[in-house]
Each structure stands twice: as structure tokens, then as C-alpha cells.
């Protein structure tokens, strides 16, 4: 049974602990803030924005896992087409895609309409896709790289 004495003793003990080491709370707060506020690289910032674009425009067909649906929509996760055809991949996001493509030795012949994204949104979503799931790339897609592509 909790009594007023037990509550009082608990509060007294907490107070004693705090005042015996008053910087402990501040140290914990500083450690939390230093972890939270670590600066992000330009790639990390782009990927964070790209994840939002992916969620709004891509997830319906290519799924949250990036695996596609194995019939109409090709996988993005582990896609050899993304790795080998970087420029074509960016072009597809910018202008859409129709016609047959070969992804991981499987033919896909669907239509991907252009999404109407800005060059920055395209760069961001490409950076997200190229560095998510099992995909990893060192070369960041830039807005300038996207802007140079013509229909």
C-alpha cells in the first residue's frame, strides 16, 4: 500500500540524487541534443525529401519495399536496370516510360506516366531509391544532372 510517507521518501530520495549530481540531467539533455542535432550530409537531406516524394508518387506501384508487383511494375530494390542505366532511370522519372525494359532478367512492358515532378524532386527521389533497401550508390543525383536531360 502506498502511503504518504512512502511518496514523501521517494521524492526526498529523488531530490537528494538530483542535488548530489545536478549536472546529470543537463549532461543527459546535452547528449540527447548532440545525437539529435548531428548535421546531415547533402545526400541524407536529399534522401529524406526523396522519401516523401516516393511515398506520394511511387509507393502505389513499386510498394513500400521497392519490390514492385512482379508483373506490371518492376522492382526498384536490387534493380540491375537502375544500376546499369542511371541516365535512363532518371529520364524515366522525369518523362515517363513506355515500352519493354529488362529488369533483373525479367521483361516488363508497362507504362509509367510522367509524374510532373520538379528537377529537385526527381533528384531527391532518385537519391532515395538508389540508397534504399539493398541499393547503395556513392554518386549523388543532382538537380543539374536532371535538368540536362531532354525528352
Amino acid at each position: 500500500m502506498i502511503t504518504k510517507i512512502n511518496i514523501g521518501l521517494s521524492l526526498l530520495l529523488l531530490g537528494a540524487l538530483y542535488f548530489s549530481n545536478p549536472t546529470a540531467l543537463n549532461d543527459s539533455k546535452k547528449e540527447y541534443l548532440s545525437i539529435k542535432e548531428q548535421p546531415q550530409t547533402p545526400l541524407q537531406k536529399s534522401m529524406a525529401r526523396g522519401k516523401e516524394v516516393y511515398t506520394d508518387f511511387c509507393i502505389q506501384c513499386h510498394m513500400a519495399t521497392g519490390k514492385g508487383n512482379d508483373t506490371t511494375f518492376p522492382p526498384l530494390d536490387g534493380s540491375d536496370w537502375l544500376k546499369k542505366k542511371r541516365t535512363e532511370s532518371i529520364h524515366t522519372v522525369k518523362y515517363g516510360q513506355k515500352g519493354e525494359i529488362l529488369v533483373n532478367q525479367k521483361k516488363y512492358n508497362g507504362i509509367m506516366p510522367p509524374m510532373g515532378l520538379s528537377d529537385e524532386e526527381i533528384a531527391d527521389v532518385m537519391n532515395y531509391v538508389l540508397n534504399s533497401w539493398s541499393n547503395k550508390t556513392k554518386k549523388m543525383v543532382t538537380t543539374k544532372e536532371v535538368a540536362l536531360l531532354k525528352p
Side-chain angles (χ1 to χ4, degrees), residues 1-149:
M1 176 196 263
I2 298 177
T3 65
K4 289 181 183 179
I5 294 173
N6 287 342
I7 293 172
L9 287 174
S10 296
L11 290 173
L12 184 63
L13 181 59
L14 285 173
L17 287 172
Y18 174 77
F19 287 110
S20 69
N21 187 5
T23 60
L25 182 61
N26 289 335
D27 291 344
S28 295
K29 186 176 178 182
K30 285 178 189 172
E31 183 178 329
Y32 170 77
L33 289 175
S34 69
I35 291 169
K36 185 178 177 186
E37 295 175 1
Q38 296 220 355
Q40 288 187 314
T41 66
L43 177 59
Q44 289 169 326
K45 289 177 184 178
S46 176
M47 287 175 59
R49 293 187 306 264
K51 183 175 184 178
E52 290 180 30
V53 174
Y54 187 85
T55 300
D56 290 343
F57 293 90
C58 313
I59 204 168
Q60 299 84 347
C61 298
H62 296 286
M63 315 310 268
T65 60
K67 302 259 185 232
N69 70 357
D70 205 37
T71 55
T72 311
F73 308 112
L76 302 176
D77 178 22
S79 168
D80 63 349
W81 198 77
L82 285 174
K83 291 176 192 171
K84 295 176 185 176
K85 298 183 179 264
R86 176 185 173 98
T87 302
E88 292 90 333
S89 298
I90 299 167
H91 190 276
T92 293
V93 176
K94 186 168 184 169
Y95 296 110
Q97 166 73 37
K98 67 179 175 182
E100 191 174 278
I101 61 171
L102 188 64
V103 179
N104 300 341
Q105 291 84 43
K106 183 170 182 173
K107 291 180 184 179
Y108 292 87
N109 195 9
I111 296 174
M112 180 176 147
M115 301 292 153
L117 301 173
S118 70
D119 289 348
E120 181 178 33
E121 289 170 321
I122 293 166
D124 290 341
V125 77
M126 287 300 301
N127 285 319
Y128 173 73
V129 167
L130 291 170
N131 289 284
S132 292
W133 314 294
S134 66
N135 300 335
K136 300 291 176 250
T137 187
K138 293 179 182 177
K139 186 177 177 191
M140 187 171 160
V141 177
T142 64
T143 304
K144 183 178 179 180
E145 182 179 6
V146 176
L148 291 173
L149 296 177

